[in-house]
Amino acid sequence: MKTGVYKGLIKDSYLKLLPESITNDLLKSNLGLLCFSSWSIVQDLTVEGMPQDIDSWKYILSPEAEGKLTVHGHVDKASFGIVYFLKKNFGDEAVAQFANNIADLKHFSQVIKRMGSSNPNRTALSLLPDVAVSKIPSNKKVKILNLKEGKVANPMVLIVKVSKEDKVKEIIDKFWSPEFTAMLHNGGCITGGLKGGGKFYGGRGGG
């Protein structure tokens, strides 16, 4: 990206509607943006010995939460948006503590399946995309935490090879089309106007 071989693509509407701190970071890193997916912390109420009034990321990032967190991911890979959120709001030490608190990385379908079960590997807390949270069966004894610092917004980055930009213009135009935007919304993503509300990165919410 720094050599200029690739460049990020971002709509002007994002620059006007996103918090300035986020747009500055995107532009500084030459990263484009197609949409966001929002992530929430879900508490499994069947796991005993947990506080029932968690309202801040400070608990999630404390030594008290060590080994009590599962994150949607695969093997040793998870969203870089999580790291950005933590570093931006709480600093480098918070990233290290968060990593220490993770007991497991699992696909959200596996996480949801073991919620409220007798599975000994289930954890009290899970960080999941909101589109996955919406699929948690109503008979599961869980609570979506409303944390005062906001929720993680995971960006779907959009970059293009500069020498090929003209050749992919038609595809890029489809990405910006109302039809594709509607498909992203249906998949739980947040686009230009941050539809879906919420407070992200400790910044302003959508509307």
Side-chain angles (χ1 to χ4, degrees):
M1 300 295 290
K2 292 181 179 179
T3 62
V5 176
Y6 293 91
K7 74 173 185 178
L9 301 179
I10 184 169
K11 293 185 75 172
D12 289 341
S13 60
Y14 280 86
L15 299 178
K16 296 175 182 177
L17 293 166
L18 287 171
E20 186 177 352
S21 61
I22 297 179
T23 56
N24 286 344
D25 286 343
L26 287 169
L27 295 174
K28 182 180 178 180
S29 302
N30 194 20
L31 292 175
L33 182 65
L34 182 59
C35 67
F36 281 111
S37 61
S38 55
W39 291 46
S40 293
I41 296 280
V42 180
Q43 182 174 356
D44 185 337
L45 300 176
T46 67
V47 177
E48 298 179 351
M50 288 290 295
Q52 300 298 303
D53 56 353
I54 301 171
D55 64 355
S56 172
W57 273 91
K58 290 181 180 179
Y59 178 84
I60 311 299
L61 301 173
S62 73
E64 293 179 67
E66 183 175 346
K68 297 179 180 178
L69 180 67
T70 296
V71 178
H72 167 65
H74 176 67
V75 188
D76 60 349
K77 297 178 177 64
S79 163
F80 80 87
I82 299 170
V83 176
Y84 179 87
F85 168 82
L86 296 174
K87 187 172 182 178
K88 195 78 173 175
N89 285 280
F90 306 103
D92 291 336
E93 290 185 5
V95 176
Q97 183 63 60
F98 181 81
N100 193 52
N101 291 350
I102 296 175
D104 210 356
L105 289 173
K106 290 290 184 184
H107 187 269
F108 68 77
S109 61
Q110 295 174 283
V111 180
I112 292 173
K113 183 177 181 180
R114 66 189 189 186
M115 285 177 175
S117 72
S118 58
N119 189 319
N121 295 318
R122 79 188 194 282
T123 55
L125 303 169
S126 299
L127 177 58
L128 305 173
D130 280 340
V131 65
V133 174
S134 69
K135 299 182 184 299
I136 298 175
S138 58
N139 64 339
K140 295 278 189 180
K141 291 188 65 177
V142 300
K143 177 170 69 173
I144 303 169
L145 301 185
N146 183 20
L147 305 179
K148 58 188 177 184
E149 298 89 353
K151 59 173 68 178
V152 174
N154 185 42
M156 184 181 292
V157 173
L158 180 60
I159 60 175
V160 64
K161 194 171 185 177
V162 174
S163 62
K164 303 291 185 181
E165 185 174 2
D166 290 341
K167 295 183 179 181
V168 298
K169 183 179 183 303
E170 186 176 343
I171 296 174
I172 299 301
D173 288 344
K174 287 184 178 180
F175 283 164
W176 301 138
S177 70
E179 294 79 13
F180 195 82
T181 298
M183 185 179 72
L184 291 173
H185 279 302
N186 291 336
C189 291
I190 304 155
T191 57
L194 292 184
K195 299 296 183 183
K199 187 170 70 171
F200 305 102
Y201 296 119
R204 58 192 264 195

